[in-house]
Amino acid sequence: MSKRQHNGMGTLYKRGTDGKDYPPAAKVEGTFYVRILCQDGARRRFRLDACTLKDAYAEQSRRFGDGKAKVSGRNGMLVRDAWGAYVRSPRRGDAGLERLKAIRSDWEKFCAFCGENRPLRRVSSEDVRGFVESCAKDGYLPSTQVKMFSIVRQVLRVLVKEGCIESDPSEDVASPRGGRSSRQELSDEEIGLLLANAEGWLRTVVVLGIYTGMRLGDCCTLLWSEVDLAAGVITRVPRKTSHSSGRVIRVGICPSLAKELEALPSREGYVDEEAAAMYNRRCADVSACVGRLFRRCGMDTCADAGGIRRVPVKGFHSLRHTWISHQLEQGTPTAVVQMAVGHVSPDMTARYTHATPAILRTMAMRGEYSTPSLRQRVEERVTDATDEEIRMLASVLGVLDDA
C-alpha cells in the first residue's frame, strides 16, 4: 500500500490514472481522495474537486475539519459538490469555457432552490418540477425555462452515469413548453442594409448567415475543407449537435455566396481566420459586434415581453429564420429544409417559419376555386360527338361567344 498522509482530518491520498494509490504529493496524474470515518461509524472515501495539492488541503480542511465526514455515508454527495463531479466527468462532452459558465449559472440556481447542503440522492422529481414552476413564477421566458430545465437534466444524467446518484430525478418531469421563438425575420431592405454596412470578417460571417442559414458559431468556424465550390455544396457537422447526434448538414452554395467566397484570399484552414480566432477566444465578443451592426442599420435587437428581461427579436439568428422562411416560400420541400438546417423534426422547422406577405399571397391565390365554364364542358364533349351533334354544339358555342 502506498504511503498516505494523515493530518487529523482523514487520510488524503491521490489515485493515479493507473488505478494505484499514491501519496498526495506524488507527481503523477490522478484524483485526490480523503478516506475518513463517517457519522455512521463506517470508513468511506470521498473524491475531492481539487486539482492541486494546495487546493486539496484547503478542501479537506473545509469539508472534514471536525475529523468526521460532514456527509453521512448513507446520504452520499451533497448538492453543492455535484458541480465538481460533473466538470470532471468525461461523459459531459467537450463544452467550451463559455458554455460551462452558462451551465454552471443555471445549475447554481437549481442548487439554491434545493439547498446546497442537501444530499443529492434526496433530490426528487417533485424538486425538479418545483424548480421549473418557480422559474415560470419568476418571470423567465418559456424558452429560458426550457434551457434551464435541459441543463439541470443534462447535469443529473451525467451524475447518474458517474454513479453519484442511482437515478435521474428529472426523468419523470415533462419539459416546459417553449412556445414560439421571439426572433423576427428580416425584410429584403434590412438584408441589404446589413450587406452594405458589414465589413471585413463581419461581412464574411453575415454573408454566410444570409445565404446558408447556419448558426453564428458555424459561420465563424467554417473550414475550407467543408466547402466544395466546384460542387456548390457546404458539408458540415454543426457545433451545437457535434457531441450529441453528430448529424451532417449539406447546404447548397448560391451564386452570390460563391462570388463572396471566391473573393477571399485563402483556401486553407478557416474560411475567415479572424472570425474563427475571435469566436474561439470569446464568442460573446462576436455576438456584441453583430449586435452593434444591427443597431447601426437602424434595427432594434430587443423588445419588452413582460418577462424579467427584454427578449431578443433581431440578431444573427434572425438570418436563420429568414433563410428558412425564404426557402419554404420558394417551394423548397420541408424535408429538404429540415435536412439543410439540421433540425430533428418538422415541428422544429415549423417554429422557424414565418407567414411572409409572399406566402400569404400564395395562400390567397390557392384559395381560389376554379370550376370549368359551360363552354369548356361543351368543348370536352366534342371529341365523342357525331356530325349532327357537332353542328348542334357549334351553334351553342356561337351563342356562348356572343354572351
Side-chain angles (χ1 to χ4, degrees), residues 175-397:
S175 175
R177 298 180 63 85
R180 196 168 182 84
S181 172
S182 61
R183 299 286 183 179
Q184 299 175 3
E185 69 163 12
L186 304 182
S187 65
D188 293 343
E189 293 75 13
E190 291 171 329
I191 293 291
L193 286 172
L194 291 176
L195 291 173
N197 287 274
E199 298 178 348
W201 66 266
L202 191 53
R203 178 178 176 83
T204 303
V205 172
V206 168
V207 166
L208 284 169
I210 290 173
Y211 294 119
T212 67
M214 292 193 299
R215 299 180 181 90
L216 177 59
D218 293 315
C219 292
C220 289
T221 59
L222 183 66
L223 296 167
W224 277 113
S225 59
E226 299 168 329
V227 179
D228 189 342
L229 286 174
V233 175
I234 293 175
T235 305
R236 178 179 175 86
V237 177
R239 292 169 61 94
K240 184 175 181 179
T241 57
S242 60
H243 297 295
S244 53
S245 66
R247 184 179 291 104
V248 177
I249 64 169
R250 291 169 59 83
V251 187
I253 301 175
C254 66
S256 298
L257 177 58
K259 183 179 179 180
E260 294 280 348
L261 293 175
E262 289 169 354
L264 296 175
S266 175
R267 288 292 185 277
E268 296 180 354
Y270 291 108
V271 170
D272 195 298
E273 295 288 348
E274 186 177 356
M278 181 179 292
Y279 189 87
N280 290 330
R281 182 173 62 250
R282 182 172 160 78
C283 60
D285 292 341
V286 178
S287 299
C289 291
V290 172
R292 286 193 291 269
L293 171 64
F294 273 73
R295 289 189 290 273
R296 195 162 64 245
C297 293
M299 290 180 253
D300 292 329
T301 56
C302 294
D304 293 324
I308 63 175
R309 63 177 182 176
R310 304 184 77 204
V311 298
V313 291
K314 289 186 179 179
F316 195 89
H317 210 65
S318 297
L319 301 179
R320 186 172 174 86
H321 284 251
T322 306
W323 187 87
I324 292 175
S325 290
H326 179 71
Q327 290 295 327
L328 296 174
E329 176 184 313
Q330 297 300 314
T332 305
T334 303
V336 176
V337 176
Q338 178 186 336
M339 176 199 67
V341 296
H343 286 163
V344 178
S345 68
D347 291 341
M348 177 59 72
T349 306
R351 292 179 60 187
Y352 282 74
T353 306
H354 298 262
T356 64
I359 289 178
L360 293 176
R361 286 194 297 271
T362 301
M363 182 176 67
M365 293 300 296
R366 289 175 178 173
E368 291 284 350
Y369 291 95
S370 178
T371 58
S373 65
L374 177 60
R375 180 185 182 90
Q376 290 172 325
R377 291 198 298 270
V378 171
E379 287 179 334
E380 288 173 359
R381 296 190 58 186
V382 171
T383 56
D384 300 324
T386 63
D387 293 343
E388 181 69 22
E389 289 174 331
I390 289 176
R391 284 193 295 271
M392 294 177 59
L393 290 172
S395 62
V396 172
L397 291 176

Side-chain angles (χ1 to χ4, degrees), residues 111 124 142 276 384 402:
C111 292
S124 66
D384 300 324
D402 295 337

Side-chain angles (χ1 to χ4, degrees), residues 31-273:
T31 305
F32 290 102
Y33 285 88
V34 168
R35 186 179 295 279
I36 196 169
L37 182 65
C38 294
Q39 293 174 349
D40 60 355
R43 288 190 177 274
R44 291 181 174 83
R45 70 176 185 179
F46 295 87
R47 185 165 56 178
L48 305 185
D49 296 337
C51 297
T52 65
L53 182 61
K54 181 179 179 181
D55 291 340
Y57 281 134
E59 185 176 350
Q60 181 186 26
S61 177
R62 173 175 60 82
R63 293 178 59 183
F64 312 113
D66 57 0
K68 285 182 178 286
K70 296 180 180 178
V71 182
S72 167
R74 290 185 295 271
N75 290 334
M77 178 181 290
L78 294 179
V79 171
R80 71 182 180 207
D81 299 322
W83 176 253
Y86 171 79
V87 171
R88 288 192 303 270
S89 173
R91 297 178 174 87
R92 67 174 174 82
D94 187 21
L97 181 59
E98 294 295 323
R99 176 61 178 163
L100 275 179
K101 287 181 179 178
I103 293 175
R104 182 168 189 173
S105 175
D106 289 336
W107 174 255
E108 287 178 347
K109 293 183 180 70
F110 178 68
C111 292
F113 177 82
C114 295
E116 293 186 349
N117 295 320
R118 186 178 180 183
L120 184 63
R121 64 183 299 177
R122 300 211 174 164
V123 174
S124 66
S125 58
E126 292 301 319
D127 295 311
V128 178
R129 191 173 292 107
F131 172 69
V132 172
E133 293 173 355
S134 71
C135 291
K137 292 178 181 178
D138 290 341
Y140 287 101
L141 294 171
S143 58
T144 305
Q145 296 173 35
V146 173
K147 178 180 73 72
M148 296 171 73
F149 172 77
S150 299
I151 285 175
V152 169
R153 171 170 284 181
Q154 175 184 339
V155 174
L156 291 173
R157 285 179 174 175
V158 170
L159 295 176
V160 170
K161 294 177 181 178
E162 287 295 313
C164 301
I165 49 178
E166 295 179 0
S167 60
D168 176 13
S170 69
E171 186 175 356
D172 298 330
V173 181
S175 175
R177 298 180 63 85
R180 196 168 182 84
S181 172
S182 61
R183 299 286 183 179
Q184 299 175 3
E185 69 163 12
L186 304 182
S187 65
D188 293 343
E189 293 75 13
E190 291 171 329
I191 293 291
L193 286 172
L194 291 176
L195 291 173
N197 287 274
E199 298 178 348
W201 66 266
L202 191 53
R203 178 178 176 83
T204 303
V205 172
V206 168
V207 166
L208 284 169
I210 290 173
Y211 294 119
T212 67
M214 292 193 299
R215 299 180 181 90
L216 177 59
D218 293 315
C219 292
C220 289
T221 59
L222 183 66
L223 296 167
W224 277 113
S225 59
E226 299 168 329
V227 179
D228 189 342
L229 286 174
V233 175
I234 293 175
T235 305
R236 178 179 175 86
V237 177
R239 292 169 61 94
K240 184 175 181 179
T241 57
S242 60
H243 297 295
S244 53
S245 66
R247 184 179 291 104
V248 177
I249 64 169
R250 291 169 59 83
V251 187
I253 301 175
C254 66
S256 298
L257 177 58
K259 183 179 179 180
E260 294 280 348
L261 293 175
E262 289 169 354
L264 296 175
S266 175
R267 288 292 185 277
E268 296 180 354
Y270 291 108
V271 170
D272 195 298
E273 295 288 348

